[in-house]
Amino acid sequence: MTSDAYHRIYAVVRRIPRGKVATYGQVARLAGLVNAARQVGYALHALSGVSALPWHRVINSAGRISLPPEAGGLEQRFRLLEEGIMVDAAGRIPLGRHQWRPGSRR
DNA sequence: GCGGTGACGGTCG
DNA sequence: CCGACCGCCACCG
């Protein structure tokens, strides 16, 4: 049932270091997929929060939480704050300071 | 197989 | 900086 694409996506998300975030498009590219940002969102949605994956470290390219508050966005904001990532009331995150750069190992 | 939908992303005004 | 549009593409009824 878990497609190969999903497996790759999850593998990438699992590598995001604590205290760092990655964008949907970034995850898609690292997973070797093209124009699949939406698919990444769909893959994470399929988890329904029931997972050991750091799904909360994935945000959109605008540097904001895409998930509606009542659908888990609130929990995502809380988890990020808990890791020392600044998230303002509007769900905005300073990407320049927190975006994950693969290779820098953090 | 078709059409609507969305945890996206880049552009434009 | 923000909202409106449009292009993309897998999932679902």
Side-chain angles (χ1 to χ4, degrees):
Chain A
M1 58 180 256
T2 309
S3 74
D4 190 57
Y6 277 30
H7 184 72
R8 290 195 196 177
I9 291 171
Y10 297 148
V12 172
V13 174
R14 206 174 292 119
R15 293 170 41 204
I16 305 175
R18 183 170 169 39
K20 289 292 178 181
V21 297
T23 68
Y24 295 93
Q26 186 182 0
V27 171
R29 283 197 310 276
L30 291 173
L33 303 172
V34 186
N35 288 336
R38 280 194 114 125
Q39 197 182 346
V40 171
Y42 211 95
L44 295 186
H45 186 250
L47 294 174
S48 293
V50 184
S51 168
L53 282 174
W55 56 270
H56 56 282
R57 296 181 189 146
V58 185
I59 62 179
N60 63 35
S61 66
R64 315 182 71 207
I65 291 178
S66 257
L67 189 58
E70 60 279 10
L74 200 61
E75 184 187 344
Q76 177 169 24
R77 183 158 122 237
F78 186 75
R79 290 200 185 191
L80 290 174
L81 287 172
E82 204 166 22
E83 296 188 355
I85 294 174
M86 356 175 174
V87 187
D88 64 25
R92 290 169 70 264
I93 299 165
L95 273 182
R97 184 188 166 86
H98 293 294
Q99 182 165 39
W100 174 43
R101 268 118 181 136
S104 63
R105 288 211 304 126
R106 198 187 243 290

